[in-house]
Amino acid sequence: MNAQTSPEDFLQHLSQNNIGEGYFITQNGQLKASHTSLQALANNIRKWPDFQQHEGVFFGTDQRNNCLFTACVYSTVRGQSAGGVRFNSYPTLGDLFRDGLRLSKGMADKNAIARLWWGGGKGIIYRKNIHDLSAEERKDMYQNYGKFVSRLNGVYVTAEDMNTKPEDMADIFTTTRHTTCIPVEFGGSSNPSIYTAKGVFSGIKAAAEFKYGKDQPLKGKTALLHGAGNVGYHVMEQLIEAGAKVLVFDINEKTLQRIRENFSNDQAEIIQDEKAFFSTKAHLLSPNAIGAILNDDSINNLQVEMVVGGANNQLLIAEKHARQLQDKGIIYLPDFFVNRLGIINCANEQYGYVKADIDREVELVYTDSLDLLEKAKSKNQSPFIIANQIAEERLQQPHPIWGHRGPKLVKEMIGNGFGK
Ligand code: NAD
């Protein structure tokens, strides 16, 4: 088994070998598999570029609904590894784990930048077809995912992410305490997207002021918006309110129709061709759809002065593409720096919800972004590199009460029979 193995073949191997759950954990620099038949795969994963001494990768199966459950844990130094669970399909194990490994590292950086006492993790529910489940099957699947999270003994705390909603979190909440983003009626904080968009706009405002000065820096400017979903649409509203014109690319016709109905041509225009979109001359690009869209091809064509958006993992090859943007003189605020309101909004919901706290955090993205841009300018470095250094430093600071607790939790859960 290797990166090219399909998740379906992996599930079949697990079923044939009576393996319902298992793990790959880092011990003494090695990646140890829970089962002998999986050690070759562990040795393989260890060599993948996205595996960066993650503390562990945990998996379970949901045979009733043909799903593979995973939780990637990058770090628990600052606390339990927190990050959303996405429901998605992938052609290969390499694609599936790459997403989990990259996103769990990204969550660790984001939680540290947000000054949250949480480590970084990410969950994935894999299913070959994510669209053909009945409402009952979907509920059952999320309840089973909750049971899987409970089996992890608190090492991972889940949240909403791609293709999941607060109602799904409520189903997860019926079988585990280790979830956030649950609906308000259950004492949660619900959908974080509006706050994510406010944080992203705080970053845009800071970058625009840094570039054009304090007086209405977005008035009369043109912004390219890639993706106008939950986050992107609210970013677009704020851009238009600040006096910018927005040029949108999105693959969802319903989303585009909503824009045509709600905005005039002077406020928002749709660009149909993605290649033409990325080479359109504008002041700002705001990526709010998918990851890896800042790559050799797109950066080569870009004719913008700033890139600030909410999509996770925008840079295909992080440092390389951050440098390319810097070399082109494009200001880049990293996604994990400006889209942190999503996790801030839900991360501490067990302490109750105070809106003023969240509003203050929106403001903090603005002041932190200005500081970051100043620092980057004085060092003639990409803001991405500086932000990474800040995150790395904070990731060394153990939780003030619990210390680096993950390895103890994992030892306990394996002692209690996880992965046997
Ligand atoms: P969403 O699914 O509501 O919106 C995504 C939008 O992008 C949709 O309109 C979709 O049609 C469009 N899209 C998908 N693929 C595309 C493509 N290839 N090209 C152009 N458009 C495409 O998701 P969202 O909640 O708005 O999240 C957007 C991004 O922000 C994601 O990368 C997500 O991980 C990240 N993010 C979201 C939050 C949050 O609070 N929702 C928090 C942090 C990060």
Side-chain angles (χ1 to χ4, degrees):
M1 259 178 301
N2 55 39
Q4 296 313 317
T5 305
S6 74
E8 292 300 314
D9 286 348
F10 183 62
L11 278 168
Q12 199 176 11
H13 172 88
L14 298 180
S15 162
Q16 282 166 352
N17 290 277
N18 266 330
I19 302 174
E21 62 187 17
Y23 56 80
F24 305 100
I25 52 172
T26 297
Q27 272 182 352
N28 307 321
Q30 299 298 312
L31 192 63
K32 184 175 177 300
S34 49
H35 299 81
T36 321
S37 69
L38 298 175
Q39 189 55 46
L41 178 61
N43 298 342
N44 200 270
I45 293 174
R46 214 179 132 243
K47 295 190 201 124
W48 298 354
D50 294 308
F51 180 77
Q52 293 178 37
Q53 298 299 314
H54 283 62
E55 288 183 19
V57 174
F58 305 92
F59 62 85
T61 59
D62 174 353
Q63 291 191 348
R64 216 165 32 227
N65 299 301
N66 301 316
C67 297
L68 175 65
F69 295 155
T70 71
C72 286
V73 173
Y74 173 67
S75 168
T76 58
V77 174
R78 289 179 65 88
Q80 292 166 287
S81 71
V85 57
R86 55 180 48 181
F87 179 35
N88 214 357
S89 186
Y90 300 84
T92 67
L93 275 187
D95 294 313
L96 189 158
F97 284 124
R98 186 177 310 119
D99 217 17
L101 293 169
R102 277 172 69 105
L103 289 161
S104 57
K105 164 80 169 79
M107 285 311 300
D109 292 341
K110 192 187 308 191
N111 291 338
I113 287 291
R115 304 172 180 86
L116 293 169
W117 287 113
W118 293 96
K122 200 81 187 183
I124 290 175
I125 300 177
Y126 160 85
R127 195 169 188 277
K128 191 171 183 185
N129 187 342
I130 62 168
H131 299 294
D132 66 351
L133 284 170
S134 67
E136 289 74 28
E137 287 166 332
R138 198 175 159 104
K139 191 180 190 68
D140 185 52
M141 178 185 80
Y142 283 111
Q143 290 183 337
N144 287 340
Y145 190 74
K147 287 180 192 162
F148 167 70
V149 171
S150 288
R151 297 276 297 150
L152 302 181
N153 196 26
V155 77
Y156 169 62
V157 177
T158 195
E160 190 197 4
D161 198 77
M162 187 193 279
N163 300 328
T164 63
K165 5 183 233 301
E167 293 71 32
D168 302 325
M169 296 303 118
D171 289 332
I172 290 178
F173 187 54
T174 61
T175 50
T176 189
R177 67 184 304 147
H178 301 297
T179 186
T180 59
C181 298
I182 54 177
V184 174
E185 58 268 34
F186 295 112
S189 59
S190 199
N191 189 330
S193 305
I194 286 191
Y195 279 103
T196 305
K198 286 187 179 193
V200 170
F201 186 72
S202 280
I204 292 176
K205 204 170 74 171
E209 283 189 16
F210 186 77
K211 179 84 188 163
Y212 308 118
K214 263 193 162 313
D215 185 30
Q216 298 190 305
L218 287 162
K219 199 171 165 70
K221 302 291 192 298
T222 307
L224 301 176
L225 187 93
H226 192 248
N230 284 321
V231 175
Y233 192 85
H234 295 300
V235 170
M236 180 171 71
E237 286 176 325
Q238 293 170 91
L239 282 165
I240 289 171
E241 205 182 318
K245 173 160 186 176
V246 182
L247 307 178
V248 186
F249 178 82
D250 196 296
I251 53 169
N252 186 329
E253 187 46 41
K254 267 194 194 150
T255 303
L256 298 178
Q257 193 50 34
R258 184 180 175 203
I259 294 170
R260 287 190 199 100
E261 281 164 13
N262 292 340
F263 298 101
S264 72
N265 256 357
D266 293 341
Q267 295 173 315
E269 244 179 71
I270 285 143
I271 297 186
Q272 300 286 357
D273 179 74
E274 194 169 24
K275 211 169 164 59
F277 172 85
F278 279 114
S279 49
T280 300
K281 197 167 163 47
H283 298 90
L284 167 79
L285 166 67
S286 186
N288 295 290
I290 50 166
I293 61 130
L294 299 172
N295 48 49
D296 287 348
D297 204 28
S298 65
I299 294 175
N300 196 25
N301 289 323
L302 278 186
Q303 295 195 67
V304 295
E305 295 176 319
M306 306 174 284
V307 177
V308 186
N312 281 318
N313 291 342
Q314 293 161 23
L315 300 162
L316 175 63
I317 305 172
E319 295 203 0
K320 173 185 168 190
H321 291 120
R323 288 214 171 84
Q324 279 185 14
L325 289 168
Q326 174 82 355
D327 291 346
K328 272 191 87 163
I330 297 174
I331 292 175
Y332 177 60
L333 282 176
D335 40 70
F336 62 86
F337 206 85
V338 298
N339 72 10
R340 65 201 202 208
L341 258 296
I343 192 77
I344 288 175
N345 187 58
C346 66
N348 287 325
E349 68 187 24
Q350 77 275 30
Y351 296 109
Y353 191 85
V354 177
K355 185 176 169 294
D357 289 349
I358 309 296
D359 291 337
R360 200 179 53 242
E361 294 286 350
V362 171
E363 188 59 23
L364 209 50
V365 175
Y366 166 75
T367 47
D368 280 354
S369 296
L370 280 177
D371 280 355
L372 178 67
L373 293 172
E374 290 293 353
K375 233 179 240 159
K377 188 180 175 188
S378 71
K379 296 191 171 174
N380 196 22
Q381 268 284 18
S382 157
F384 173 84
I385 307 283
I386 308 282
N388 244 337
Q389 286 166 355
I390 299 171
E392 282 305 319
E393 272 165 35
R394 291 189 190 159
L395 276 168
Q396 307 304 317
Q397 297 166 358
H399 189 289
I401 297 170
W402 299 108
H404 184 187
R405 191 166 160 87
K408 291 182 208 159
L409 295 172
V410 170
K411 193 170 168 204
E412 185 92 2
M413 98 199 198
I414 292 173
N416 288 338
F418 182 91
K420 286 263 161 60

